[in-house]
Amino acid sequence: MLTTISHTWFTVLQILCISGILLCAGQMSYGVTGGDKLEFNADQFIEEGMGWRGQSVKFRVYHNIVYVSNPVDAEYQCMNFFAPVEYFEGKSYGPYNAETAPIFFPNTVGGYMPGKPGNIPKDSSERINAIGMALLKGYVVAAPGARGRSLKDQNGQFTGKAPACIVDLKAAVRYLRYNDKVMPGDAGKIISNGTSAGGALSALLGATGDNMNYEPYLTAIGAASARDDIFAASCYCPITNLDHADAAYEWQFHGLNNYNSWMGKGVLNAEQIEISAQLKALFPAYLNSLRLKKAGGTLLMLDADGEGSFKEYVKSFVIASAQKALSDGEDLSGLDWMTINDGTVTDIDFDAFVAYATRMKPAPAFDALDLRSPENNLFGTATIDNQHFTLFSQEHSADHTLADPATVMLMNPMYYIGTPGTAMARHWRIRHGAVDRDTSLAIPVMLAAKLRNNGADVDFALPWGQDHGGDYDLEELFAWTDQICR
Ligand code: DHB
């Protein structure tokens, strides 16, 4: 947010400008400059406008603000910053002003690849994205880039392996907090958003605020000395909890031997079927160790066969999703594994539902024995491109190295939720399509339950018929952000 002092300073500058005393070159400054590389330079912007369905907004864009003082890759460790022009004129836009506007913080990471800072689509009157929608609603937008698993420096060393992506997003948050007094928007109201790997990073950002484990990495890149906790996290289909995702996947998909994705399709061979059975058998012990509870306090458990209250709990979200679709007028009568009585979905055959959704990935789904998954590549090092990150896969493959367990931990929000020394986001919105097979439904269900059990406000749903993707319900997304900011 901008302080009164900077507003006063702004007004003084404006008066001087209007009276011709200062040469302003058409661009107004907050009077905020400095030698420190991490101080926001208010002079480097362009002004743009956009319209959508009868609404319009004029805004400033500050492109490619490098948010660390010692960047490894400045092309990615930078953000685009957008704010309605009114916030530089001491005025309101919609319900917000420069002090109160929440900061929408969408990352562009997909597949744990590098992500450039986000932008508004060129033909914004035809298409709208989350950044454009946020601006129309009066939000300030900080759209950070982040390093990803494929980046190399000129010596051929990898520079974006784990935990680089989360460290960069934290550094971007720190920049916003550090410059809160001189940038429009309230850094106490940062709302992160991301999809898939980006959804996982949004969850990680929300779950690990101010945790000291990230400090050495933040210091190395010259992050601003400020807090990195955020107000809220929106996570679409987070590909998270990677070190338990193989077991969770087989808990859901064991018995379905055909897999089918954009990466290829096929039938599990005998060895993969055996791996699938072994992984499925590992899941109940992990799930039970979490001691998750549903509302009312009932423990969520699984027996050795993977049956029990947790499975019923996952099923309840699928039923709720089908119910919403039915109430919205969708014809579900052709689904013979669903019981509908007088407009109410009373039951589903969960295994038949899973067969309907189909399996996407072979086993193991994440820590591939041949090291060819995106996650193997994420957990490489400066000199090793791909590594295992679970003992199970390392033990079942020939002579491959294992990622440092401390690094694996830095990428998994489940280890941090509710731990001392960690400031968790208060508000969460988690969406995972009911037929999204990129990870098990158990993954977002465990995340949402753990957050709720630790006092977070969690809006969680599995949208019916929705496959892998995000930002498909922008009106609902921003209705939620407005509600939590009110
Ligand atoms: C993404 C999808 C995956 O299936 C995966 O394993 C990792 C990342 C993604 O879309 O970002």
Side-chain angles (χ1 to χ4, degrees):
M1 75 180 74
L2 289 163
T3 58
T4 319
I5 293 170
S6 56
H7 268 306
T8 311
W9 179 218
F10 174 76
T11 311
V12 169
L13 276 173
Q14 205 170 25
I15 293 164
L16 291 174
C17 260
I18 290 165
S19 58
I21 296 169
L22 257 180
L23 187 63
C24 286
Q27 293 190 342
M28 182 50 75
S29 155
Y30 278 105
V32 181
T33 50
D36 190 325
K37 282 192 213 164
L38 292 182
E39 289 195 0
F40 176 62
N41 175 358
D43 297 333
Q44 301 281 316
F45 65 89
I46 55 174
E47 208 169 280
E48 289 183 18
M50 65 167 285
W52 172 256
R53 298 192 175 158
Q55 248 197 301
S56 63
V57 59
K58 264 174 59 178
F59 53 91
R60 285 187 183 184
V61 194
Y62 294 83
H63 283 111
N64 301 320
I65 303 172
V66 177
Y67 53 66
V68 288
S69 60
N70 187 21
V72 177
D73 194 325
E75 229 183 295
Y76 291 92
Q77 292 172 297
C78 60
M79 69 169 96
N80 290 339
F81 184 76
F82 307 76
V85 291
E86 285 80 358
Y87 298 168
F88 300 89
E89 296 164 352
K91 296 182 190 157
S92 296
Y93 176 86
Y96 300 116
N97 61 36
E99 269 87 42
T100 60
I103 303 177
F104 186 62
F105 188 82
N107 74 68
T108 59
V109 173
Y112 288 104
M113 294 293 279
K116 289 266 175 78
N119 266 307
I120 288 178
K122 284 273 172 286
D123 54 348
S124 59
S125 62
E126 307 281 308
R127 294 187 295 137
I128 191 155
N129 67 2
I131 297 177
M133 184 75 96
L135 280 169
L136 282 170
K137 305 240 177 224
Y139 291 67
V140 161
V141 180
R147 286 170 294 161
R149 60 187 169 86
S150 62
L151 287 182
K152 281 184 187 172
D153 64 16
Q154 67 250 45
N155 304 318
Q157 300 245 315
F158 297 107
T159 55
K161 301 297 188 187
C165 43
I166 183 60
V167 170
D168 285 356
L169 295 184
K170 280 176 171 288
V173 168
R174 287 186 174 202
Y175 180 94
L176 294 171
R177 284 192 170 279
Y178 180 78
N179 284 295
D180 192 22
K181 290 191 169 61
V182 293
M183 293 174 85
D186 176 358
K189 291 266 167 63
I190 295 176
I191 303 168
S192 164
N193 183 57
T195 297
S196 194
L201 291 175
S202 189
L204 205 46
L205 204 55
T208 63
D210 307 332
N211 188 281
M212 287 302 288
N213 293 357
Y214 300 86
E215 200 59 48
Y217 300 92
L218 287 158
T219 303
I221 57 175
S225 56
R227 285 158 48 194
D228 55 55
D229 57 294
I230 58 169
F231 177 65
S234 157
C235 316
Y236 288 98
C237 52
I239 301 291
T240 191
N241 199 350
L242 297 173
D243 39 328
H244 302 101
D246 288 331
Y249 204 80
E250 299 316 318
W251 170 75
Q252 180 169 338
F253 292 102
H254 179 71
L256 287 185
N257 294 338
N258 290 300
Y259 61 92
N260 181 352
S261 79
W262 54 270
M263 286 167 71
K265 57 183 183 176
V267 184
L268 300 191
N269 60 31
E271 186 202 351
Q272 289 169 319
I273 291 170
E274 174 55 25
I275 292 276
S276 165
Q278 290 178 20
L279 283 167
K280 178 182 174 183
L282 292 178
F283 187 62
Y286 170 65
L287 182 277
N288 294 340
S289 78
L290 296 174
R291 301 199 66 75
L292 300 173
K293 297 188 183 85
K294 68 177 183 184
T298 309
L299 260 186
L300 297 167
M301 303 291 281
L302 290 175
D303 66 18
D305 295 327
E307 302 292 330
S309 54
F310 178 75
K311 187 167 175 179
E312 292 305 308
Y313 189 60
V314 174
K315 197 168 114 171
S316 74
F317 290 106
V318 179
I319 291 175
S321 167
Q323 182 64 57
K324 181 169 186 312
L326 189 68
S327 304
D328 290 349
E330 205 159 319
D331 179 6
L332 304 179
S333 60
L335 305 174
D336 59 6
W337 40 267
M338 187 180 293
T339 312
I340 302 174
N341 286 321
D342 288 338
T344 302
V345 180
T346 54
D347 198 15
I348 59 163
D349 174 337
F350 189 74
D351 296 341
F353 159 73
V354 173
Y356 162 84
T358 74
R359 170 195 278 269
M360 176 185 177
K361 298 176 176 181
F366 294 88
D367 192 351
L369 301 188
D370 62 5
L371 292 183
R372 287 171 65 177
S373 77
E375 290 76 15
N376 293 129
N377 195 238
L378 170 69
F379 286 112
T381 68
T383 53
I384 305 172
D385 202 9
N386 303 289
Q387 294 196 111
H388 288 300
F389 50 95
T390 65
L391 269 177
F392 179 92
S393 285
Q394 192 198 30
E395 282 166 2
H396 284 79
S397 67
D399 203 22
H400 290 139
T401 55
L402 185 67
D404 177 0
T407 306
V408 179
M409 185 174 169
L410 290 171
M411 296 304 296
N412 189 342
M414 296 293 282
Y415 293 117
Y416 292 90
I417 296 165
T419 60
T422 311
M424 177 178 75
R426 231 171 347 146
H427 304 283
W428 294 72
R429 184 175 192 267
I430 303 170
R431 291 290 181 274
H432 182 104
V435 291
D436 182 339
R437 312 128 331 130
D438 278 58
T439 195
S440 168
L441 298 182
I443 296 293
V445 170
M446 291 187 291
L447 175 64
K450 180 140 191 166
L451 288 164
R452 280 182 177 151
N453 291 176
N454 283 279
D457 159 38
V458 187
D459 177 332
F460 176 58
L462 307 173
W464 190 252
Q466 179 64 47
D467 201 344
H468 196 58
D471 292 359
Y472 41 73
D473 55 353
L474 293 179
E475 286 294 352
E476 287 104 321
L477 171 64
F478 286 103
W480 170 75
T481 58
D482 277 345
Q483 176 235 313
I484 60 171
C485 291
R486 212 171 285 142

